[in-house]
Amino acid sequence: MPSLKKILHFMGSALVTACSVGVMGVCMSTTWAQTTMECTRSEEDFTNGSAVVTLNLFVGNMNRSFCPLFGGRQDFEVIPQLRGTGVTNVVLHGLVVCLLALCLLFSGCSILISLYNSVSNPYETYMGPAGVYVCSSLSACLSIVVLILFAVNVTVTSMAEDLVQSFSGDILADLRNKTSEMKLGYYLVLLYTGLSLFAIALIYLYDHAAYTRRQEQQRPTEDAPKEIMMY
């Protein structure tokens, strides 16, 4: 049986990573961003309406008030709706979804490696620390990339304006004073990143302690007189 220290560290890492997967599941099903814009008719110079775009990863909501003529509240599927607005918007959003799926895949691999090593031979770590380091590091790094890509798509590109225009039909609207606010789903990715790094820290503490113990066990032999070692 492996030592209690090894069991606790690898089981702790598996538990923390499982919690991060649960966090990711919640964040993928809740609101990520909300963008508000003032809206006018293209031939007018006064503001007479507004549009609010609320985005989840897979579904969204459009709430228009006199934008450009009347308004309404429509639910839509994000990726199909983005296909009609431009290549950049749908590619960036598609990358966000794909990278999140990869995060879940690498987290799953990290859990399996941690669970295996928690019950494996006490003197062996099959893909142990290295496997957890690689999988959890990739999960953390990809989640940071997700945060950057999503923020760029919401605040820098014209995704929100294009979505509003796609619901306005042939009537052009002048959209101005765009303000975007990140919601719970976006910030939960930060928690996922932190949990992935914490899982790495747990394995590092075990790996460092095991390395120190091995060094201490080798030191008496290295320091022994040559006459004694000959026997």
Side-chain angles (χ1 to χ4, degrees):
M1 287 292 295
S3 67
L4 180 61
K5 186 179 184 66
K6 181 182 180 183
I7 293 174
L8 290 176
H9 278 267
F10 277 98
M11 286 295 293
S13 176
L15 179 61
V16 169
T17 306
C19 290
S20 73
V21 171
V23 168
M24 181 64 76
V26 173
C27 89
M28 293 179 73
S29 61
T30 191
T31 305
W32 277 57
Q34 187 176 78
T35 301
T36 303
M37 292 160 284
E38 295 176 352
C39 178
T40 68
R41 286 287 302 275
S42 58
E43 66 270 13
E44 298 170 348
D45 58 0
F46 62 91
T47 301
N48 62 352
S50 64
V52 179
V53 182
T54 304
L55 287 177
N56 292 22
L57 280 180
F58 304 104
V59 296
N61 176 267
M62 178 72 63
N63 191 358
R64 295 180 297 123
S65 176
F66 298 102
C67 182
L69 287 177
F70 301 103
R73 183 183 179 92
Q74 296 97 1
D75 295 324
F76 59 92
E77 295 182 5
V78 175
I79 292 181
Q81 193 69 31
L82 286 176
R83 287 175 182 168
T85 64
V87 176
T88 302
N89 298 333
V90 70
V91 167
L92 288 177
H93 194 81
L95 280 175
V96 166
V97 174
C98 291
L99 291 178
L100 288 175
L102 287 176
C103 286
L104 291 175
L105 175 62
F106 288 125
S107 291
C109 292
S110 181
I111 292 172
L112 292 176
I113 293 171
S114 296
L115 289 176
Y116 176 82
N117 282 278
S118 67
V119 297
S120 65
N121 189 303
Y123 304 106
E124 296 178 358
T125 51
Y126 178 73
M127 292 180 63
V132 175
Y133 293 158
V134 170
C135 292
S136 295
S137 296
L138 285 172
S139 297
C141 292
L142 291 178
S143 64
I144 294 296
V145 175
V146 164
L147 293 174
I148 296 172
L149 289 178
F150 188 83
V152 168
N153 206 18
V154 170
T155 60
V156 178
T157 70
S158 60
M159 178 179 68
E161 294 91 332
D162 293 339
L163 283 172
V164 173
Q165 193 61 56
S166 69
F167 283 94
S168 301
D170 297 331
I171 305 174
L172 297 178
D174 183 15
L175 302 168
R176 61 184 69 176
N177 298 329
K178 180 176 76 172
T179 58
S180 297
E181 180 184 1
M182 298 304 173
K183 295 295 186 177
L184 178 63
Y186 182 84
Y187 292 112
L188 283 177
V189 180
L190 288 173
L191 178 57
Y192 171 85
T193 305
L195 290 172
S196 298
L197 295 177
F198 185 51
I200 294 174
L202 287 174
I203 300 303
Y204 174 79
L205 291 175
Y206 166 79
D207 194 28
H208 180 71
Y211 174 78
T212 303
R213 186 169 60 251
R214 287 194 301 267
Q215 291 296 104
E216 292 175 348
Q217 291 173 349
Q218 293 174 1
R219 190 172 297 122
T221 303
E222 294 173 351
D223 297 338
K226 292 182 179 180
E227 292 81 3
I228 297 178
M229 294 189 65
M230 288 177 64
Y231 294 97

